[in-house]
Amino acid sequence: MNRLALDGFWLDLPPSWSGLEDVTYSDPSTLPPVALAADGGAGRMMVAEMLFEDPDEQPPGAEVDEMEALARAWGRKRRLEPLEMGAQERPDGVIATATYLVRGCFVQVWFLSNGERVMHASYVCPWDARSVERADREAIVASLRWS
C-alpha cells in the first residue's frame, strides 16, 4: 500500500492505484475532490471533505443515524433509493455507506464523520464491473484518516 497524504487527511492506496490530475467533477458542498483510479481499472473514486458554510447548517455529529441520513440524502437528491446500506463506528468516528444503480453504473458512497469534520467518498464503475475492485475500494475507504 502507498500512503497518499493530502490537505487535512490521508489514505492508503493499493499498488496499482494512484491519484488523477484531470478532476472535472464539481460539487459546491465539498472542497475540491481527489480522484483515484487503478491503472487499467474498472472505476474511479473521488474523496473530498464536505463544507458546511451556512451558519444554520451545522456539520453532523459522529452518530450512525446522522451518517446514514447523509448516505440516503445523496440518493434522494437523485430520486433514488439505496440498494444496500451499512454503517459502523470506528475509533475516529463513524462511517456509513450506500450503493445505487445510476444510469447503468454502480455507485457507492461513504460518509465519515469525527463529529467536527465530514469526508465524502464515492466510487463509480459500469454496473457489470461492480465486484471487480470491491476489495480495493473498501480498503481505501477503511484507511481514510484525518491528519
Side-chain angles (χ1 to χ4, degrees):
M1 292 276 206
N2 297 316
R3 178 145 300 159
L4 182 60
L6 301 155
D7 188 24
F9 65 96
W10 57 266
L11 48 81
D12 292 330
L13 295 176
S16 63
W17 284 72
S18 64
L20 303 174
E21 298 295 327
D22 65 338
V23 177
T24 56
Y25 173 84
S26 177
D27 181 347
S29 67
T30 66
L31 290 171
V34 174
L36 310 166
D39 186 30
R44 184 176 194 176
M45 181 173 270
M46 305 285 268
V47 181
E49 184 170 351
M50 293 184 70
L51 298 174
F52 299 93
E53 294 181 348
D54 183 343
D56 296 331
E57 184 182 25
Q58 294 297 315
E63 300 293 328
V64 168
D65 60 337
E66 292 173 297
M67 291 303 96
E68 286 177 334
L70 286 177
R72 283 188 187 281
W74 187 95
R76 243 188 329 274
K77 287 180 185 177
R78 293 154 181 85
R79 297 186 188 129
L80 300 169
E81 287 296 319
L83 303 172
E84 293 182 307
M85 289 198 66
Q88 68 180 36
E89 292 184 12
R90 298 178 12 161
D92 61 342
V94 66
I95 190 165
T97 186
T99 61
Y100 295 92
L101 172 59
V102 181
R103 296 186 190 120
C105 292
F106 171 83
V107 177
Q108 185 167 7
V109 296
W110 296 265
F111 292 90
L112 170 65
S113 175
N114 66 358
E116 296 175 13
R117 297 165 64 190
V118 179
M119 297 297 297
H120 173 227
S122 61
Y123 172 86
V124 63
C125 71
W127 180 258
D128 292 340
R130 65 191 177 276
S131 300
V132 175
E133 295 175 325
R134 182 178 185 162
D136 284 354
R137 69 180 181 258
E138 289 179 1
I140 291 168
V141 171
S143 75
L144 185 59
R145 298 289 186 269
W146 285 275
S147 47

